[in-house]
Amino acid sequence: MAAWARAVRGLLLDVSGVLYDSGGDGGVPIAGSVEAVRRVKASGLKLRFCTNETQATREKFVKKLQGMGFDISVDEVTAPAPAACRILKERSLRPHLLVHNDLVPEFAEIDKANPNCVVIGDAAENFTYANLNEAFRVLIGMEKPVLISLGRGRYYKETDGLKLDVGAYMKALEYACDVQAEVVGKPAKMFFESALAEMGVPPQQAIMIGDDIVNDVGGAQRCGMRALQVRTGKYRPCDENHPHVKPDAYVNNLAEAVDVILQQL
Amino acid sequence: MAAWARAVRGLLLDVSGVLYDSGGDGGVPIAGSVEAVRRVKASGLKLRFCTNETQATREKFVKKLQGMGFDISVDEVTAPAPAACRILKERSLRPHLLVHNDLVPEFAEIDKANPNCVVIGDAAENFTYANLNEAFRVLIGMEKPVLISLGRGRYYKETDGLKLDVGAYMKALEYACDVQAEVVGKPAKMFFESALAEMGVPPQQAIMIGDDIVNDVGGAQRCGMRALQVRTGKYRPCDENHPHVKPDAYVNNLAEAVDVILQQL
C-alpha cells in the first residue's frame, strides 16, 4: 500500500466471502464487515458492491444483507442478471434459463419462447442431471450455439463447505457443444467498467476488494484498477503463489482493508 | 475403401451407437447389427468390442447385448473400468468413485478408504449437484489432485435423446480444480493399443468402426489404424465437416460396413 492508495476515490466490494459467508441458512456476516461498510460510507469514499451473485434477485439479496445489518441498497449493486438482460434485449435473444429459481424474476420482462440461447447462472440445486441435459440439448440443437454465463467462478465457500460455481458447469456445456461462452459478470472487463461508470470513478482511482484471486483481483487489475485480496471467504493460502495474478496487497479481512485505506486518506 | 481394406485381419467395434442405441429401457439393436456381428465371426476376421461404456460391469453389459441377440462374450470386450483398476493398483491409488451404481462392482477389489484420487465415469443419474460437489471437495483437498476419467466423450444418444457424457463433467472438475484429468478409455492411445494386443492384430491390419468422430475415428487413426464412421448413434451430418478428423470412409451402419469389408477379402 503506497502512493496509489492516497489517490483512491472509490471502492468496489465483492460481497460473498468479503461481507459475509453464504450458506443454506442465509449465511453469516464476516467479523467487522458491517462496521467496515459503515465507515467507508462515512468517509466520503464512493462505494459500489460488485457481485457475481446469481442465486437471488438483487432485491432479495440486498434484503438478506440488510437483515445482517449491512448498510446497502439495491441501486448500489452491480450484478450479472441485469447486465445479461440488457444484452438479451439488444440482441433479440430469447433465453433458455438454467439459473436458480430465485433469480428467475430478474428475467420477467424477457421473451423466453422458442429459445435461441442458453443463459447459465449459479443454479445450485437446479444443477440436476436432467436440467443440464436439457440445457445441452437446447444448445446443441442450434446452428450456432449461444451460451451466456453469469460469471465464470470455479467454486465458492458456503457455511457447509466449498461448492462448484457456475464456471464449472459453463465449462461442461462449452466442451459438450464445442462453443465458447460469453461471460457476463466478473472478470469480464465490461462488467467492471459498468460498475465504475455507475460509481463515477475512473479505474486509476478505484480499488477492488475481493476474495477471488482470478475473478476479483485479476479481473479488476486488467481494467486498470488496484485490487486487494482478503484472507476470508474462498481465499486459500496457495492463492499467494498464483502463477499469473498478484494482488496489490493482502489484507486479513475487509475491516483491515478499510483501516489501511482510510489511514492513507 | 481400397487396398488397405484387403489387408484387414481384425475389426474393433464400438458398441453403443454401432451395435445398439442405449436407453432407459435397455436400448434397441440397430437394424442389421446382430447379423453383421455374426457374419464377421463367420468370416474368420478377428473381432474385439472396444467400448467406453461405464454404466454397468462388463458382465451386465454383455448380458444385455446377448439378450438382444448379439454373439458377444465378456472376454471379447475392452472397457475402461478394468483398465482403470490396473492403473489404481500399479500406483497405489485409492479412488473416490463418481460412477454409475452398476459399475461399482468392477472396483470391488480396490481399496477405497481415505481416497487419494477421484475416478469419474458416466455416472448418469449419479451426476447430482451433491455428488459433484463431493468429488470436487475430495479433489481440491489434495495437495496434487489426481483425476482419472473413464473416457472423455462429449455426449451420447439414448432412445429418449442426447445426454451429456463423462467428458463434460470431467471438464467441470478439471476447471474447478485447475487440474488435467488422465483419460482411461477411447481416445487414449494406450487403450486402443491394449485392445489390439488382446486381439493380436497390428494397427495397420485393423479397422475401427464407430459413431464418434473424435473418440472412435480420431483416436484409432492416431494409433495407425483405419477407421470408419457409421451414420448411426450420435453421428450428426456436421461430423462430415469436422475440422481435424476425416474417417477413411463413411458407412450408413455396421451392416453396410461389414458388407463392404467382407467384399474386399
Side-chain angles (χ1 to χ4, degrees):
Chain A
M1 305 281 295
W4 56 263
R6 285 195 288 276
V8 65
R9 284 186 45 230
L11 300 185
L12 285 187
L13 301 190
D14 178 30
V15 180
S16 178
V18 175
L19 267 54
Y20 81 116
D21 280 321
S22 60
D25 50 351
V28 290
I30 291 171
S33 289
V34 169
E35 184 54 25
V37 169
R38 223 172 265 138
R39 288 164 61 210
V40 174
K41 290 201 165 178
S43 74
L45 286 178
K46 301 243 184 157
L47 177 62
R48 194 151 184 93
F49 302 94
C50 185
T51 179
N52 273 8
E53 168 64 39
T54 59
Q55 284 204 2
T57 59
R58 277 190 300 180
E59 282 71 16
K60 201 166 169 177
F61 181 57
V62 162
K63 198 161 282 179
K64 179 174 79 173
L65 291 162
Q66 288 170 340
M68 293 179 199
F70 287 103
D71 180 358
I72 182 173
S73 65
V74 170
D75 57 8
E76 294 172 314
V77 176
T78 301
C85 286
R86 286 194 296 274
I87 291 171
L88 294 170
K89 282 179 191 165
E90 277 166 26
R91 290 163 53 188
S92 302
L93 289 171
R94 300 177 306 276
H96 170 89
L97 297 177
L98 177 51
V99 300
H100 198 285
N101 289 347
D102 290 345
L103 193 71
V104 174
E106 292 271 17
F107 297 88
E109 290 177 18
I110 302 288
D111 180 9
K112 291 178 280 290
N114 189 18
N116 56 4
C117 76
V118 167
V119 171
I120 182 174
D122 175 17
E125 305 289 345
N126 273 350
F127 281 133
T128 63
Y129 179 60
N131 286 349
L132 279 161
N133 280 330
E134 195 186 348
F136 160 67
R137 284 184 207 131
V138 170
L139 274 177
I140 201 80
M142 296 174 194
E143 200 179 338
K144 264 180 85 92
V146 176
L147 174 60
I148 294 176
S149 187
L150 306 180
R152 54 176 294 143
R154 292 167 190 264
Y155 56 86
Y156 54 88
K157 190 182 169 187
E158 294 211 321
T159 46
D160 59 343
L162 297 175
K163 304 274 172 82
L164 288 170
D165 198 359
V166 61
Y169 294 96
M170 172 193 88
K171 285 287 171 184
L173 292 176
E174 282 188 341
Y175 176 71
C177 302
D178 197 15
V179 63
Q180 184 148 23
E182 303 172 34
V183 176
V184 178
K186 298 176 286 186
K189 201 170 178 193
M190 210 162 71
F191 191 71
F192 283 108
E193 286 171 348
S194 68
L196 288 168
E198 285 153 347
M199 190 163 65
V201 172
Q204 301 77 15
Q205 299 182 342
I207 298 175
M208 172 80 204
I209 301 174
D211 64 334
D212 188 316
I213 182 74
V214 171
N215 292 302
D216 293 327
V217 175
Q221 288 176 332
R222 273 206 311 282
C223 288
M225 300 169 65
R226 302 283 178 161
L228 310 186
Q229 188 179 12
V230 290
R231 294 194 180 98
T232 56
K234 80 177 73 169
Y235 163 86
R236 298 165 72 218
C238 64
D239 290 346
E240 306 204 13
N241 305 313
H242 194 280
H244 308 304
V245 184
K246 193 173 157 43
D248 293 280
Y250 293 98
V251 283
N252 285 324
N253 49 47
L254 179 63
E256 186 182 306
V258 170
D259 276 348
V260 177
I261 291 168
L262 296 187
Q263 276 168 23
Q264 311 287 324
L265 295 183
Chain B
M1 305 281 294
W4 56 264
R6 284 195 289 276
V8 65
R9 285 186 43 230
L11 300 185
L12 284 189
L13 301 191
D14 178 31
V15 179
S16 178
V18 175
L19 267 54
Y20 81 116
D21 280 322
S22 61
D25 49 351
V28 288
I30 291 171
S33 289
V34 169
E35 183 55 25
V37 169
R38 221 172 266 139
R39 287 165 61 211
V40 173
K41 290 200 165 179
S43 75
L45 284 178
K46 302 243 183 154
L47 177 61
R48 194 151 184 92
F49 302 94
C50 185
T51 178
N52 273 7
E53 168 66 37
T54 60
Q55 284 204 3
T57 58
R58 278 188 301 179
E59 282 71 17
K60 202 166 168 177
F61 181 56
V62 162
K63 197 160 283 178
K64 180 173 81 174
L65 291 162
Q66 288 170 340
M68 293 179 197
F70 286 103
D71 180 358
I72 182 173
S73 65
V74 170
D75 58 8
E76 292 172 316
V77 176
T78 301
C85 286
R86 285 194 296 274
I87 291 171
L88 294 170
K89 283 179 191 166
E90 276 166 26
R91 290 164 52 188
S92 302
L93 290 171
R94 300 177 306 275
H96 170 90
L97 298 177
L98 177 52
V99 300
H100 198 286
N101 290 347
D102 289 345
L103 193 71
V104 174
E106 293 270 18
F107 297 88
E109 290 176 18
I110 302 287
D111 180 9
K112 292 178 280 290
N114 189 19
N116 57 3
C117 78
V118 167
V119 171
I120 183 175
D122 175 17
E125 306 288 346
N126 274 350
F127 281 133
T128 62
Y129 180 61
N131 286 348
L132 280 160
N133 280 331
E134 196 187 347
F136 160 67
R137 283 183 207 133
V138 170
L139 273 178
I140 201 81
M142 296 174 194
E143 201 179 336
K144 266 181 83 92
V146 175
L147 175 60
I148 293 177
S149 187
L150 305 179
R152 54 176 294 144
R154 293 167 189 265
Y155 56 87
Y156 55 87
K157 189 181 171 187
E158 294 210 321
T159 44
D160 60 343
L162 297 175
K163 304 271 172 83
L164 288 170
D165 198 359
V166 61
Y169 294 96
M170 172 194 86
K171 286 286 171 185
L173 292 175
E174 282 189 339
Y175 176 72
C177 302
D178 196 17
V179 63
Q180 184 149 22
E182 303 172 36
V183 176
V184 178
K186 298 176 286 187
K189 200 171 178 193
M190 209 163 70
F191 191 71
F192 283 109
E193 285 170 349
S194 67
L196 288 168
E198 286 153 347
M199 189 164 65
V201 172
Q204 302 76 15
Q205 298 182 343
I207 298 175
M208 172 81 205
I209 302 174
D211 64 334
D212 187 314
I213 182 75
V214 171
N215 292 301
D216 293 327
V217 175
Q221 288 177 333
R222 273 205 311 282
C223 289
M225 301 169 63
R226 302 284 178 163
L228 310 187
Q229 188 179 12
V230 290
R231 294 194 180 98
T232 55
K234 81 178 71 168
Y235 163 86
R236 298 165 71 218
C238 63
D239 290 345
E240 307 204 11
N241 304 314
H242 194 280
H244 307 305
V245 184
K246 192 173 157 46
D248 293 280
Y250 293 98
V251 284
N252 285 323
N253 50 45
L254 178 63
E256 186 182 304
V258 170
D259 276 347
V260 177
I261 290 167
L262 296 186
Q263 277 168 23
Q264 310 286 323
L265 297 183

